[in-house]
Amino acid sequence: MSNNLKDGLDRRDFIIASIATVGAPAALAANAGAANAQDAATPSPVSGTAYTGDVIHGKKVISALDINDLEPGRKHLLYFKGVQMPTGQHWYVSVIVAKGARPGKRAVLVSGVHGDEMSSVHTVQTVINQLDPAEMSGTVMAVTDVSGPAMEAMQRRWPNSGRGIDLIDMNRVWPGNENGATATSRHAGLLFNRLLRPNADVAIDFHTGTTGFDVSAFNIASMDVPEIKAMVELYPIGQIFDNHTYPGVLHNAFIDAGIPSFCPEIGAARVLDLEMISLFVEGTMNVLKHHGILAGPMGRTSKDVGVFVGNSAVPILATEGGFVEQLVKLNDKVEPGQKVAIQRNSFGEVVAEYTSSVAGQVAGLRSDVTSEPGIPLAFILYHKAAPDGAESYPE
Ligand SMILES: [Zn+2]
């Protein structure tokens, strides 16, 4: 881990501590505790590739991978054997390794940590399809469907069968725990210890908005870490959310393991936004060139799109139940006091008007028309003079 990366982590630890002191939700505090407990229990990285002997749909099944064991100059399609289901079968995760003819850096691309985020999957698939291992120096490993049960249901969270179905947000459990209390945590632990961490020099965890809440195109990144900043600035994307977000998210687990990482957000959930996807593909190909895995000229970058960098995302929360009419669009600039939404009851009477408290850009908007009190109607990305980490977009 470089000093710069370590410095960034130290600062983030401070921010996490300050979140806890300003009254974080109980779940956040609990996650932080679980992550700390896991630190002590984390086994040393698993070395070597373990084939189970099974073949599914023509793909060999692995329970651990060292990409050094794979033949160079070609793509390898594998299934990683994840946690068991209640019936005793396993959740298998699709793994594509494009191993270059020559040695070099190892990039890991992840999608499907949330099950309703389809543009993230398509972005990773498109990058992999553009790669020719014969021309590469290094390796790109893609893992496209991390949270299988959530994806089967086209929903954000993993249905855990502890006491009836609990829905668990898998992007709050990393780095997981192979002996954890939930299948979700165990699945994350298996993936992180035996597949992701041992094969990554850099890692990108792709996301989108969630069902009912659309977002613009942006990258969540710790811009105080130079290795991460250098990568994020290679995306021709209009917004950067410079924030350490939460413990338990996958890109922070990579950073904690000394692996530079960040989190692209690619528009709306459930759909493919092909235009937006092409921008994230272009940026990711730039990152692979930056690391020498691919040759060739850079594509467009953040310099070409006039990127807006904010370090906070203030949520505008519904104060009433009712029907919401948004008055702004994603990427719109807003000023303090500007009205962004109005809400009506079933009689059509206006029950609330919502304004922005800050000057910034709209980065997220509720897409479901109805809302209960307490639900975020919008996120405004803005620059806070003294960020305290308390206002964060729930990626
Ligand atoms: Zn997500």
Side-chain angles (χ1 to χ4, degrees):
M1 187 183 302
S2 73
N3 282 338
N4 288 329
L5 190 54
K6 186 74 170 66
D7 289 346
L9 294 178
D10 289 345
R11 193 190 132 210
R12 195 196 48 199
D13 288 344
F14 169 74
I15 289 169
I16 289 166
S18 66
I19 291 173
T21 56
V22 297
L28 179 58
N31 281 346
N36 291 339
Q38 166 66 5
D39 285 346
T42 300
S44 54
V46 173
S47 60
T49 300
Y51 290 96
T52 68
D54 298 326
V55 176
I56 302 175
H57 298 146
K59 277 86 172 174
K60 289 180 180 172
V61 177
I62 52 172
S63 57
L65 179 66
D66 179 346
I67 55 178
N68 291 317
D69 297 334
L70 299 178
E71 182 189 338
R74 53 167 286 222
K75 291 179 183 173
H76 303 263
L77 308 184
L78 303 161
Y79 274 123
F80 179 86
K81 184 180 182 178
V83 75
Q84 280 184 290
M85 308 176 197
T87 55
Q89 299 187 48
H90 288 261
W91 288 108
Y92 293 100
V93 175
S94 306
V95 183
I96 309 156
V97 181
K99 180 158 181 188
R102 292 171 299 281
K105 284 212 173 174
R106 304 165 304 161
V108 168
L109 311 178
V110 179
S111 63
V113 170
H114 290 137
D116 58 351
E117 303 187 357
M118 297 294 111
S119 286
S120 64
V121 178
H122 197 81
T123 300
V124 173
Q125 291 173 340
T126 305
V127 170
I128 287 288
N129 285 339
Q130 291 186 6
L131 300 180
D132 177 2
E135 301 295 324
M136 289 167 51
S137 302
T139 301
V140 179
M141 181 172 79
V143 182
T144 55
D145 49 6
V146 167
S147 185
M151 293 188 88
E152 296 295 351
M154 186 60 89
Q155 69 178 9
R156 177 181 176 90
R157 293 170 296 173
W158 176 301
N160 191 62
S161 67
R163 300 174 180 87
I165 292 296
D166 289 326
L167 294 175
I168 295 180
D169 189 331
M170 195 175 186
N171 214 22
R172 298 294 182 274
V173 306
W174 299 97
N177 183 337
E178 293 185 20
N179 300 307
T182 66
T184 325
S185 172
R186 292 184 179 219
H187 190 65
L190 291 168
L191 282 163
F192 197 74
N193 297 331
R194 297 163 187 267
L195 181 70
L196 300 175
R197 181 180 59 177
N199 294 300
D201 295 317
V202 296
I204 310 173
D205 182 29
F206 293 85
H207 284 253
T208 75
T210 194
T211 297
F213 194 84
D214 292 355
V215 301
S216 58
F218 62 94
N219 283 303
I220 302 173
S222 301
M223 295 292 278
D224 54 334
V225 182
E227 296 97 318
I228 296 173
K229 181 172 186 280
M231 289 192 280
V232 170
E233 289 181 341
L234 294 175
Y235 281 77
I237 299 296
Q239 294 176 343
I240 293 172
F241 181 23
D242 173 17
N243 193 288
H244 293 289
T245 65
Y246 320 99
V249 303
L250 177 54
H251 72 276
N252 279 339
F254 277 118
I255 294 172
D256 288 345
I259 299 160
S261 187
F262 59 96
C263 175
E265 294 280 350
I266 314 172
R270 302 180 79 91
V271 299
L272 294 186
D273 187 330
L274 294 174
E275 196 176 334
M276 203 182 279
I277 287 168
S278 72
L279 300 176
F280 281 95
V281 169
E282 188 169 355
T284 304
M285 297 300 277
N286 287 344
V287 167
L288 299 179
K289 290 167 188 167
H290 170 74
H291 289 294
I293 298 171
L294 302 182
M298 287 283 174
R300 292 167 297 171
T301 71
S302 63
K303 288 195 181 75
D304 298 307
V305 298
V307 67
F308 173 72
V309 183
N311 60 11
S312 294
V314 63
I316 297 175
L317 302 178
T319 57
E320 310 287 331
F323 302 79
V324 175
E325 180 184 355
Q326 304 281 12
L327 304 178
V328 292
K329 292 187 168 55
L330 291 170
N331 296 300
D332 279 0
K333 288 180 184 169
V334 295
E335 296 300 328
Q338 181 176 337
K339 201 184 297 182
V340 297
I342 57 177
Q343 191 174 26
R344 299 180 179 86
N345 62 17
S346 296
F347 300 95
E349 299 168 304
V350 174
V351 293
E353 295 185 338
Y354 299 97
T355 58
S356 176
S357 59
V358 297
Q361 290 190 7
V362 180
L365 279 179
R366 182 164 174 81
S367 52
D368 282 356
V369 170
T370 54
S371 176
E372 298 160 312
I375 300 290
L377 303 180
F379 273 97
I380 311 297
L381 181 66
Y382 75 110
H383 189 78
K384 195 178 205 176
D388 57 17
E391 288 158 340
S392 225
Y393 165 75
E395 90 314 319

